[in-house]
Every structure is written in C-alpha cells, then in structure tokens.
Amino acid sequence: MKQLSRRQMAWRAAQDIADGAYVNLGIGLPTLVSDYLPKDREIVLHSENGILGMGPAPKPGEEDPDLINAGKGLTTLLPGGAFFHHNDAFLMIRGGHLDLALLGAYEISETGDIANWTVEDPATPPGVGGAMDLAAGAKEIRVILEHNTKEGASRIRRRCHYPLTASGVVKRIYTNLAVIDVTPDGLVVREIVPELDFSQLQDKTEARLTLANDWRKLEAPAI
Amino acid sequence: MIDKRVKDLASAVAGIKDGATLLFAGFGQVGEPVELIQALLEAGVRDLTVAANNSGTGEVGLAKLIRERRVRKLICSFPRTSDSHCFEAAFAEGAIELELVPQGTLSERMRAAGAGIAGFYVRTGAETKLAEGKETRMIDGKLHVLERPLRGDVALIKALKGDRWGNLVYRKSARNFNPVMAMAADLVIAQVKEIVELGALDPECVVTPGIFVDRVVEVGR
C-alpha cells in the first residue's frame, strides 16, 4: 500500500501553516516541517532555547556551535530573528503567544489527549522537555505521527495507553495515511491516501472515525 | 570598589560545600559552564543536588560529575539525549535520583525564587503524572498545578563577556538558562570568555546586570 513518507507528512503539515504565524516545531518528525514551509508566506519559527526567526540548517562552513535548535542540531537565524533567555522562551509558550505548536506523539486519543513523554520503560529515563508546556500553552496544537506502530497497533486510540502530556488539546492530526480533525463530535477524517478507502482506514484505527462530507484525497508531491 | 573578578577557576568555586544545591546553566553543551564544573569536580565536593535542563553530554562537565558519582539528585527536564550515557548508567544502577520537571516550569520555578514569589499556579502538567502529589486548583474553569520556587545555593553560569561589576552579555542561543539561573542562587559564579573594562559593555545590551553576579572568572573560550 502506498502511504506518505515522513517527508511527505511534513510537507502536508506545512501547507496548513498560515502566513504570519509564530510556530514551534517539536523535535523529530515535526522538525522536518521547516524544510517545506510555503515560500510565499512569512512564518516565524520559535525554538524553546531562546530563538525566534530560526532558519534552515547551516550550509557547510557556516556552522556556529552556539546556535542550535531544540533537538540540539545546528541551525541558523533569519534576518529579523532574535535571541532571548529561557524564561522568555517559555513565557511565549505558556502565555499563549504562539499560534501553533506542531508536535510528535506516541499516541493521540479521540478526545485530543496527547501522550509523548514516556513509554514507562523502567530501563529508560523519561524526558519531558518542553512538551507539557507546549501542549498546555500554544493557541493551537497539531500532531504529526505515524498512523500505526511498527507492530501495526493504532496510535490513534479511544484512550491513550501511555501517560498523558496534556488532555483534550489536539485539534488536527497528520499521519502517513490521513488528515484527521479532533472535533466535539469526535474524529473527522478530512483526507485519505488514494489507495485506501474509509473502511480500510477505520480498520487500522482503534478510535471511531467519521468521514467529512467534503473529504479529499491526501496527495503529496514526490520528495 | 566593587571587583567580582577572581584569578582562577579554583578560587571561583571555593567554598562550595558537600550537599549543596547547584544550578547549572546550558542547553545540551551550549552555554554549559564546563570549566567551572570541572573545577568543582577537582575541589572534591560531593552529595550534590543539581538542577540543569539536561544530564550532561559525553564525559565532560555535568556528565563527568555524574560519572564520578558526585551528584545525588538531578532536577531536570530532558535527561536522555544523544550522548547521555554517564547519566543513564548511574540511573540504571539506582545511583542517582531524578526529579523530572517540565522545562518551562523548571525555568519559572527559578524565576520565582529570584523574584520573591512563593509559588505559582500553571496549566502545564495538570492532569498528568508529573503533577501527582501537588496541590491543584480550578481557576477560570481549568485545573492548575501549584509549583514552588527552586533556589540554588550556587549557580554556575557561562557568558561571552563580563566586567568587574559582574555585568554579562551572552552569545546567540548560549544565553538559554544563564540569566534566569543568575537570579536564583545565593552565590552566582560566572565563567566568561573575556573580562572587559567597566563601561565597555553597551548598557543597552547588558542581559544580566551585575547585581545578580558574585564572581567572574575569565576562561578564554
């Protein structure tokens, strides 16, 4: 079955980000979104370690060890960008100044709960970082994740199995198979990859889905 | 005359006692006062409680202090990073206690300590395991968690330049936790790449005013 690659998922999520938005991209898959922001929009990326106006990864020879992103990879600053300290960085997050946080997750529930900080493996120390601050504080939360685990289990569940990061905050979910909105009436499928029909998507999903009347095919350019 | 300059790293960390609570600035290795932490290790202090965003990288700075089993407890938001094997080994052995704190709460708890605020209610962490055992309160229809200040006996910080009054400026994202930790400890020790003459730092650009800083040591990087 054809499904979106990780980069195509990132591309799809990027298309929905509005001109002028202040956005935090979580570490991992969401970080890829920065490569596909539409060129005709000014979108200001926020990094929790004190950056607004974060740019792309540096070109060879232009790396600066004092300029890193939330995932601790090297980054750059765009003209108009600014540096500030950690408390201001999190004031922006917790005080509702960010328009959007696009996060990764282990699981999402049908009521918009998100679990992304621990899998409760005693051998592995947990790490929360800025996840709970972003999930509780940004004006809108969207999530980008693989629809199923490697073993085929649904990551979109009636209730999250792993400990929550925040409850009832997620508004839109991008997966390798579909775009799904979390609404007061439950999960509404907006887009599905062409090779899959709605009942096949439901079979891969633990939570109950409904199909939007104006649903579309989920297609992304070859990347 | 005010002169907060100290001649070397050993003098900079003099007087730090066993069992102390320390704040270590940095986000990963960026902004981490590696030289001060190394001096602390050489001074032999132990049984420390350390608050830091991460758990150290490779085998330097905080990672080395943990490897040498000097840290009893780590207060941290994200201990597991790409090269945190020293912490992971100590954690697996049960040789270190971990208090996991959301990153913004970690920062705000220190700001509260520096600002004379005895506690604050926040949405972050509400209805999660990290709020277990904490006081909660419904405010405007939403559950909030009471968080208490986090104060250090000592903060070790890193800046680009400083002067003899302790005014500091930083470089790019190496600023991170440094300014807030400088507000939140009884003894604040700054390592700087360069000590400059009083008046040489543009007052419009000073990020940490000298009132927060007790000692400044030049390390050349």
Side-chain angles (χ1 to χ4, degrees):
Chain A
M1 181 194 63
K2 248 184 112 180
Q3 48 185 284
L4 263 52
S5 67
R6 286 165 65 83
R7 291 202 159 269
Q8 287 175 313
M9 291 162 68
W11 174 88
R12 177 61 193 86
Q15 304 315 303
D16 288 343
I17 303 177
D19 189 24
Y22 289 85
V23 180
N24 184 293
L25 302 175
I27 60 177
L29 188 46
T31 302
L32 294 177
V33 173
S34 66
D35 290 346
Y36 304 105
L37 297 173
K39 299 265 185 276
D40 58 346
R41 301 178 206 167
E42 280 195 326
I43 292 163
V44 181
L45 296 183
H46 170 275
S47 189
E48 66 192 22
N49 55 323
I51 308 172
L52 272 175
M54 194 167 55
K59 297 191 179 87
E62 292 175 9
E63 301 90 347
D64 185 326
D66 281 340
L67 188 42
I68 61 168
N69 61 25
K72 305 188 174 67
L74 294 168
T75 188
T76 55
L77 190 75
L78 298 176
F83 300 117
F84 36 88
H85 65 72
H86 238 84
N87 212 261
D88 282 350
F90 277 86
L91 181 155
M92 292 174 197
I93 294 171
R94 291 151 69 111
H97 303 274
L98 290 181
D99 296 301
L100 172 66
L102 195 50
L103 304 175
Y106 301 130
E107 293 176 340
I108 301 297
S109 83
E110 61 188 13
T111 53
D113 297 350
I114 174 170
N116 74 352
W117 67 279
T118 179
V119 293
E120 293 200 301
D121 170 6
T124 310
V128 65
M132 287 188 183
D133 304 289
L134 287 161
K139 285 181 193 156
E140 184 165 338
I141 308 297
R142 298 177 196 160
V143 165
I144 176 166
L145 81 175
E146 304 278 347
H147 205 94
N148 299 92
T149 66
K150 286 192 184 76
E151 295 74 33
S154 175
R155 291 183 185 276
I156 302 173
R157 309 188 59 153
R158 290 192 191 97
R159 289 207 178 114
C160 292
H161 167 73
Y162 293 127
L164 294 189
T165 305
S167 61
V169 297
V170 177
K171 290 288 179 286
R172 176 164 271 206
I173 307 166
Y174 303 95
T175 80
N176 47 323
L177 303 179
V179 177
I180 301 169
D181 282 346
V182 183
T183 78
D185 302 323
L187 298 176
V188 176
V189 177
R190 298 283 171 201
E191 300 178 20
I192 313 179
V193 290
E195 288 76 9
L196 216 57
D197 66 28
F198 177 70
S199 69
Q200 290 169 313
L201 181 70
Q202 180 65 79
D203 287 346
K204 292 174 177 298
T205 313
E206 184 193 283
R208 206 168 64 81
L209 306 172
T210 57
L211 188 62
N213 292 329
D214 59 348
W215 75 278
R216 298 162 31 170
K217 287 180 178 171
L218 171 53
E219 289 175 301
I223 297 171
Chain B
M1 179 173 144
I2 299 169
D3 191 356
K4 297 179 179 176
R5 294 172 296 179
V6 292
K7 63 178 191 309
D8 55 29
L9 285 158
S11 320
V13 300
I16 299 176
K17 295 189 171 67
D18 290 351
T21 295
L22 294 110
L23 315 178
F24 288 179
F27 187 81
Q29 280 186 297
V30 175
E32 181 185 4
V34 170
E35 284 78 3
L36 283 174
I37 298 171
Q38 176 65 29
L40 192 68
L41 185 80
E42 288 164 15
V45 291
R46 54 186 62 252
D47 198 26
L48 302 171
T49 294
V50 172
N53 188 58
N54 304 105
S55 68
T57 308
E59 308 220 344
V60 298
L62 175 56
K64 194 170 179 184
L65 205 64
I66 290 172
R67 191 191 71 188
E68 299 301 317
R69 300 291 186 265
R70 303 293 184 81
V71 183
R72 182 181 66 76
K73 179 180 177 183
L74 183 66
I75 304 169
C76 179
S77 93
F78 206 73
R80 194 157 167 269
T81 54
S82 59
D83 194 8
S84 55
H85 61 272
C86 289
F87 169 78
E88 285 168 60
F91 185 80
E93 243 177 67
I96 190 165
E97 184 188 339
L98 174 67
E99 179 183 341
L100 196 72
V101 182
Q103 197 171 167
T105 295
L106 182 65
S107 179
E108 189 68 9
R109 285 176 60 191
M110 292 186 285
R111 195 193 76 89
I117 294 169
F120 55 91
Y121 284 99
V122 69
R123 280 285 296 152
T124 298
E127 299 162 84
T128 77
K129 282 198 158 186
L130 293 189
E132 278 175 8
K134 291 183 177 173
E135 226 178 288
T136 56
R137 185 168 168 179
M138 291 295 286
I139 300 173
D140 296 336
K142 288 181 174 174
L143 194 69
H144 287 69
V145 183
L146 176 65
E147 296 285 358
R148 301 296 308 275
L150 172 58
R151 188 168 188 87
D153 298 311
V154 182
L156 301 186
I157 67 173
K158 176 182 176 177
L160 177 66
K161 293 179 187 177
D163 62 26
R164 68 175 173 83
W165 279 16
N167 295 305
L168 302 175
V169 297
Y170 303 92
R171 187 167 183 278
K172 301 190 178 181
S173 65
R175 184 180 306 191
N176 58 60
F177 277 94
N178 284 284
V180 70
M181 288 186 174
M183 299 174 185
D186 297 331
L187 174 65
V188 176
I189 307 166
Q191 67 168 67
V192 300
K193 182 179 181 188
E194 186 188 1
I195 293 178
V196 299
E197 287 299 311
L198 204 63
L201 299 176
D202 179 351
E204 299 282 5
C205 297
V206 169
V207 175
T208 296
I211 190 170
F212 295 122
V213 178
D214 298 292
R215 298 177 188 169
V216 181
V217 63
E218 187 176 83
V219 296
R221 66 174 282 279

